[in-house]
Amino acid sequence: MSTDLPTTVDPFVVEIIRNALTSAAEEMSLVVMRSARSPLLREAGDLSSALTDHEGGLIAQGHDVPVHLGVMAFTIRAFLDRVPAERLAPGDVWILNLPDVGGNHLPDVKVIRPVFAGDRLLAFSVQLAHWADIGGAAPGSYYAAATDAWMEGMRIPPTRIFAGDQPDHEKIGLILANVRGAAEREGDLLAQVAATRVAERRILEIVERHGADTVAAAMAALQDISEAQMRAAIRALPDGVYEGVDYLDDGGPGDRPVAIRVRVEISGDRARFDWSGTDDAIAGPLNTTPSIAGAAVFYVVKSLAGAAIQPNGGCYRPLEIVTRPGSVLDPGPDKPVVGGNHETSQRAVDALFMAFEPVLGDRMTAGGNTSAGLLIFSGPGPHGRWATFYEPHGGGEGARIDRDGMSVVRVHLTNVMNTPVEVIEAEYLLRLERQTLRRGSGGGGAHKGGEGQIRIYEVLTDGMSLTTMFERRIVPPYGLKGGQPGAPARATLLRPDGSRTDLPGKANIALKRGDKVIFETPGGGGYGTAAGIAAAE
């Protein structure tokens, strides 16, 4: 592709359009957070928004969740393979969640609106929101014992739910009949639809100001510019072959750790990422999709080599991503994948950082809380309706060459917020007994890893269930350059009779009134040795 701007588009106009499109994507996410019904979206912000060109090339995104945004670079192209452009019309809204249509896992529901300037298909607005339930065998749609994809919830292929901006109540009703908490899901869905409509309005305002031809040319130019920037960033990396590996705690044969392996080849301005050495697909829900492997690659390359690059479809052109069919990262459509979205994806990121560490060590951060630290409480709510509380938990960041790690943050592909205590206790039959730093959990070294946190939940009703889905319970966050690892995650069930049970990282558990769940998140790894400080002094 050419890296020069089209001669018909002034570079200042391209920059103006870039910022206007980015603003539109960010506004989409704000619309959802201010109008959705579930605390997961309103408070934690487990959602992402993006705009693409008419062919599905990513052109703008919000400041949202990296694993979502990387996946959405593939979504519309895969959508158009299923739904040809000639089937689309102004006022259409489509919904899908199939992982094999440029996706990740079933709870991440994508709402898509084609944007027309007159009769011309110009762009797509895409809004992804994590639904607190999408059906399936377990409340919250995380079933630890899942052995196939159908146990994880309702599978929605590309389906038109609005035509001419009018809802198709029969299709929407079919979806809502297959999920728990239908009223809350309906509110979240309508918030997503509203966000795509706001984006359409903003794009058409840009068209009115600059013309459709100029906007289309600017979209192409933006991707060409990012491609050139990414190629320059790759050229700055040393040519060579680099290998890295990280491990899921368990789930392999005999419940052994599962290896996520990558072989990176840098040659000139291109990079190849071969994941073929990754272990075979497993029975449980920690498989994931090739799109997730792509999201991990893009995140790491951009963070190490091109932080200032405008993220869009052009960034992917110099990157070749290879997965092996039948592996954890390419398991096929019948395998469960719900936890792989935020757990296996992070193992892929850490494997990539391990690969680059020998040549880019000074830019590296020690291992951190690379897990969503997910607990899901589901059952009777305070208002007489089903309530599902989905909560990712922050932990310690790894230390760097020049500073300690931060405490109780999300790192790498996750970027959601915690749900405030007041909202938890108002919306769910739970009491948060304690929330504090997990002192001493950060790994020691010349610079110390950040601290994890401790949260204690008390259950206030019978008939509630708990789902755990977290990693770094067995394989702790690693230290670098002699730094110590961080403390691993730990979850404990305390019964009213005083008995205590250590909980697995992936489980579905029945709870009753008076039970307490104690969750301790990992600390970050340390960097360098304490002796190194004394030597420097």
Side-chain angles (χ1 to χ4, degrees):
M1 297 293 293
S2 169
T3 57
D4 296 325
L5 286 174
T7 57
T8 56
V9 183
D10 185 290
F12 292 99
V13 173
V14 172
E15 185 66 8
I16 290 168
I17 291 174
R18 180 183 74 83
N19 282 279
L21 292 169
T22 299
S23 177
E26 291 173 356
E27 186 177 1
M28 290 173 68
S29 294
L30 290 174
V31 168
V32 176
M33 290 190 71
R34 292 183 178 182
S35 56
R37 294 190 64 173
S38 66
L40 178 60
L41 304 182
R42 287 190 285 109
E43 305 292 341
D46 194 350
L47 57 96
S48 296
S49 305
L51 304 175
T52 80
D53 64 18
H54 72 287
E55 295 179 328
L58 186 68
I59 54 171
Q61 62 185 41
H63 293 296
D64 297 316
V65 182
V67 70
H68 293 167
L69 297 168
V71 164
M72 285 200 284
F74 304 98
T75 297
I76 297 300
R77 294 190 191 280
F79 169 79
L80 289 170
D81 287 341
R82 300 273 188 117
V83 183
E86 54 267 23
R87 287 190 58 195
L88 305 176
D92 277 0
V93 178
W94 295 71
I95 188 172
L96 67 89
N97 73 347
L98 280 183
D100 45 319
V101 184
N104 34 359
H105 66 176
L106 297 181
D108 281 347
V109 177
K110 301 173 186 70
V111 170
I112 297 168
R113 180 187 292 267
V115 178
F116 287 81
D119 295 331
R120 177 180 183 177
L121 177 60
L122 185 67
F124 290 88
S125 59
V126 190
Q127 210 300 308
L128 181 157
H130 186 115
W131 286 18
D133 190 276
I134 195 68
S141 307
Y142 277 67
Y143 184 41
T147 56
D148 65 48
W150 294 271
M151 294 181 181
E152 295 192 325
M154 187 176 189
R155 297 164 59 80
I156 309 171
T159 302
R160 181 162 38 206
I161 55 171
F162 276 65
D165 271 321
Q166 297 301 309
D168 186 327
H169 293 291
E170 290 182 350
K171 291 177 184 174
I172 294 172
L174 176 64
I175 293 168
L176 296 178
N178 284 279
V179 300
R180 302 171 182 88
E184 191 174 85
R185 303 292 80 71
E186 181 179 27
D188 292 347
L189 172 60
L190 294 179
Q192 292 181 267
V193 172
T196 65
R197 190 167 189 176
V198 166
E200 177 186 53
R201 188 180 307 135
R202 298 293 178 253
I203 292 170
L204 294 180
E205 288 171 356
I206 300 168
V207 169
E208 184 177 357
R209 190 173 300 119
H210 299 284
D213 288 342
T214 298
V215 172
M219 290 177 179
L222 286 170
Q223 294 183 72
D224 286 348
I225 292 167
S226 291
E227 178 186 0
Q229 292 173 327
M230 181 60 81
R231 290 187 184 278
I234 294 171
R235 279 196 298 271
L237 300 174
D239 282 359
V241 176
Y242 311 104
E243 296 184 347
V245 61
D246 193 23
Y247 296 89
L248 293 164
D249 283 338
D250 46 30
D255 219 22
R256 294 194 301 270
V258 179
I260 310 297
R261 295 187 178 89
V262 65
R263 186 176 191 270
V264 183
E265 300 177 37
I266 304 294
S267 179
D269 64 357
R270 292 193 59 82
R272 186 174 192 267
F273 299 85
D274 189 345
W275 300 92
S276 299
T278 292
D279 282 356
D280 290 343
I282 59 178
L286 290 183
N287 303 290
T288 192
T289 71
S291 297
I292 291 289
V297 166
F298 177 57
Y299 168 80
V300 170
V301 173
K302 188 174 184 298
S303 62
L304 288 178
I309 298 173
Q310 169 76 3
N312 61 42
C315 298
Y316 284 91
R317 294 172 185 163
L319 309 176
E320 181 185 359
I321 299 163
V322 179
T323 57
R324 175 175 61 84
S327 69
V328 169
L329 297 179
D330 193 354
D334 61 331
K335 292 290 187 180
V337 298
V338 68
N341 175 60
H342 46 73
E343 302 304 315
T344 310
S345 64
Q346 295 276 45
R347 303 288 73 72
V349 166
D350 278 338
L352 285 162
F353 281 131
M354 290 290 192
F356 282 115
E357 198 274 333
V359 291
L360 298 174
D362 289 354
R363 304 186 199 178
M364 297 294 175
T365 300
N369 176 44
T370 49
S371 169
L374 182 60
L375 301 182
I376 304 173
F377 295 89
S378 193
H383 308 296
R385 59 176 181 264
W386 191 278
T388 298
F389 173 47
Y390 176 107
E391 180 73 343
H393 293 78
E397 179 199 30
R400 295 178 60 87
I401 191 172
D402 56 350
R403 64 169 175 82
D404 293 347
M406 292 185 287
S407 298
V408 195
V409 294
R410 275 75 173 180
V411 299
H412 301 325
L413 292 180
T414 57
N415 187 32
V416 298
M417 296 171 282
N418 66 291
T419 305
V421 173
E422 297 82 357
V423 174
I424 296 172
E425 295 186 347
E427 297 275 349
Y428 308 101
L429 290 175
L430 294 167
R431 185 173 74 88
L432 199 60
E433 180 178 288
R434 185 182 181 200
Q435 177 171 304
T436 185
L437 289 176
R438 186 185 181 190
R439 300 290 184 182
S441 58
H447 289 287
K448 296 180 180 179
E451 308 282 26
Q453 70 170 324
I454 300 173
R455 260 189 170 187
I456 302 178
Y457 299 90
E458 182 181 357
V459 179
L460 304 180
T461 181
D462 291 327
M464 188 172 287
S465 67
L466 169 69
T467 297
T468 64
M469 190 66 66
F470 63 91
E471 283 283 308
R472 293 306 192 211
R473 185 180 70 91
I474 296 171
V475 180
Y478 55 86
L480 280 181
K481 306 295 184 183
Q484 297 299 304
R490 181 167 57 200
T492 307
L493 175 60
L494 177 62
R495 297 288 191 183
D497 63 4
S499 62
R500 301 171 69 97
T501 304
D502 287 335
L503 298 178
K506 300 92 186 171
N508 301 101
I509 302 150
L511 300 176
K512 54 189 177 182
R513 184 193 300 266
D515 287 345
K516 294 181 181 181
V517 177
I518 306 168
F519 191 44
E520 301 168 79
T521 66
Y527 192 104
T529 62
I533 296 178
E537 294 173 345

